[in-house]
Amino acid sequence: MDRTSYAAMREGRWKPHSTRLLRHLSCKTPTRSSFLCDKTSLNGLENKVMAETNNNNKEKLEIVKDHTAMIHLLMLLSATLICYYNSLDCGFVFDDVSAIKENKDLRLGTPLPNLFSNDFWGTPMHKEQSHKSYRPLCVLTFRWNYAVGELDPWGYHLVNVLLHALVCILYYRVCLMFLSRTAGFVAALLFTVHPIHTEAVTGIVGRAELLSSIFFLSAFLSYAKCTRRHKETDWRYLISTVILVAVAMLCKEQGITVVAVCIVYEVFCVQKVKFVELLDMSRAILNSKIEVPDWLKVAACRLLCLCGSTMLLLMARMQIMGAKLPVFTQFDNPAAAAGFPARQLTFNYLLPLNFGLMLFPSTLLCDWTMGTVPLVETPLDSRNLATMVFYMGLFQACQFALLSTCSAARQMIMALSFLVFPFIPASNLFFPVGFVLAERVLYMPSMGLCMMLAIGWQRLTNDKKLKSLRSYAWAGLALLLLLHSTKTVMRNYDWKDEYTLFMSGLKVTQNNAKLYNNVGHALEARDRQLEALSYFRKAASVQPDDIGAFINIGRAYAAMKMYKEAESAYKKAMTLMPKVKPGQTYQTRIAPGYLSVYVNLANLISKNESRLEEAEALYRQAISMRSDMTQALINRGDVLIRLNRTRDAHESYRTALRYDDDNPDIYYNLAVVFVEQKQHAAALENFEKALQLDPHHRQSLLNSAVLIQETGNEALRPLAYQRLYHLLELEPGNEKAYFNLGILEMDDKDYKNAEMWFTKAIQEKPVFRSALFNIALLLSTELQSPLEAVPYLQQLLKHYPDHHKGLILLGDIYLNNMQDIDGAEKVQTFE
């Protein structure tokens, strides 16, 4: 072995296995030229071996990284399941009722295109009462849930938990773009367990936030791939970004804010432009010294495409809205109805309030409307100090992010982008929204906060100057994760049902009349009317001008059959309605729910036959205030039928159909009008329309079967049987269905089956007048068992002593079958 190779081996530059290569070298004494050749060969060989070693080390490192990433993902998934497993036992609460249980767009019979013309709650976008919240893809997922499990809340909650897990995984991937693997995992874990997310995850309507966040993060990741070669554009990923932005927007409006995050990423992370350079460029443009920088030439194509597509999406969104913003009442957002300076001061104060909730989520509340956050009416209000501190902190954070030269500056820029931009649509600063504060809209902004916390934690654990604080940083993180996880699990129990949810709200604030009203509604659903009344009264005392509270008081009194008190409460509510100003023409908006006071009062007094005209006048008054108030139109038609004004009733129902042509109740009522007018074909046609809209419409099932039986239409008799059987599937204890099946069997001369159906009807309702008489008639005539008919007739006459046909039949049985002349004379005398 030559001296050079031996020295190389001794210095450790060669790996042991590479010594085998020396066997191929010549053993002859080398000449100078061959020595030089051999030395060159050995150096090349050494370099090759070193390259192979480095590649092996890189591969091992990648394997370790992949293994770590897999562990992190499993931990995120486990944390999600631990924190939200108990949410699977929750029911439909609060907005879930309107968005799911009462939303016709979920029903499979509703045409699919309706989802793209109606708002989130199933109201057509062009209607004034629409909230203009256009989220068809979210509603589509609700429809899929309904197709699988109908109204079983377990499936809806399961999907929400899985979607939250997916958001956490995508967020982890985004964090790894800016933070170390450990710090990125810390940010994702903080996001996973944060209690502020319970409304978005446990509340089913929060799915809009979850879906929008998924496509928000996917769009950002796609844009990042599009800019991997910052001087070239991968058009596949740019087009994917635009599509994902559109999808995020169709899940919830906040999704479009990802475009602003992408622009910040392009400028500060891809092109690595400094804020000072942007200022210089702006100054040059103002001085008409336009000189396009190199970075802008590269990024212009991507940014123009992104901004152009965003403008098109916004224009399409405005077109769908009808170029009108939704109108909300002063109770929904009191600051929006306030004047200067209360409006501006309150909206600015809401910013630190939202940030404080994300930072210290100790007092969570499902409804922040009405008096929960009192207006900041003067600059001397102490709460303005919180606003100033917030803006000072935000300014300091922006100054550090934009002007600092340290490595964490760009991380902070992106954290601020994720914090600020998604919150702007809900901030009330540019346009009013229908709430004061909503925890679910903080779902996306909390991504920025968690990233900021991870940046700070990373500084504490990695900075050698702060080495003494490293153990405290780890302990603090563990404590924070434990507290947040516990709070999330405990908060989920509040969402179990409406009573627990709203009662938890009253522990936070006693100034929100809506919470008292909602507790009352929950108690009403449990048939605890007296307790419900006490909460409605409390709502009226907290908010004396709350029309809804007095409507609720009236309804509670009516349910307890205290009609005089109910009427008084309704009339009190009417006095709170906007007053007519003599000699002035003006417009004011009255919430459709408040107009129900006229309907409720009319419903109440229509129980008295002598006050039907008064009730009809109240319905007309409601209709004059809002011509599309279909419930008033329907109920007015019902009263007009009772007044024998069937033509006017028909017109009232037809008017209602113009505003609500997919309401099965209206077609049912029209059918009743046609029955009264002896237009049986038209009546059957309208029953059919009602059942097409709602195949389970119970009144239409029953009365269409009755009409078929009464008209003697032999061809449709099987359909009558089918509908009565269907009704019994829906409502097994429906005595009218049993009775009419008995009538059909009698007509078909199947007397034994007829007796069976009549017997079941009487078992369900022992005082069922028609069933008692018809089974007695059947037994005494067709089945030749008159003595078996006597107990039914006696039961009939016990409850209805003036039933003349029953008296005649019983007297006939006494006389002809029992030869009981005295009994027959007593019956005759009673008659």
Side-chain angles (χ1 to χ4, degrees), residues 714-732:
E714 292 296 328
L716 294 177
R717 287 181 74 80
L719 181 61
Y721 278 105
Q722 178 185 334
R723 288 184 175 171
L724 291 172
Y725 291 144
H726 185 194
L727 179 58
L728 287 174
E729 289 175 3
L730 299 172
E731 191 178 345

Side-chain angles (χ1 to χ4, degrees), residues 185-290:
F185 173 65
V186 167
L189 196 56
L190 286 170
F191 179 82
T192 302
V193 304
H194 203 300
I196 203 72
H197 300 156
T198 49
E199 184 172 339
V201 181
T202 309
I204 297 173
V205 295
R207 187 178 299 180
E209 270 73 23
L210 304 176
L211 286 169
S212 186
S213 296
I214 287 171
F215 294 106
F216 178 101
L217 295 171
S218 299
F220 180 75
L221 290 168
S222 178
Y223 190 78
K225 290 181 179 178
C226 158
T227 60
R228 277 181 299 192
R229 299 176 181 176
H230 70 277
K231 291 186 178 181
E232 298 179 12
T233 300
D234 191 328
W235 287 99
R236 295 172 303 167
Y237 286 112
L238 185 59
I239 293 170
S240 297
T241 301
V242 173
I243 294 172
L244 289 167
V245 170
V247 173
M249 189 178 174
L250 290 174
C251 294
K252 191 173 182 182
E253 297 79 359
Q254 271 179 299
I256 200 168
T257 59
V258 70
V259 173
V261 179
C262 290
I263 292 172
V264 171
Y265 174 75
E266 173 74 54
V267 174
F268 292 102
C269 295
V270 178
Q271 304 301 333
K272 294 182 172 55
V273 178
K274 296 180 180 179
F275 183 66
V276 176
E277 295 176 29
L278 290 178
L279 291 178
D280 292 340
M281 185 180 72
S282 302
R283 205 175 293 117
I285 292 173
L286 291 174
N287 295 330
S288 301
K289 297 178 180 180
I290 302 174

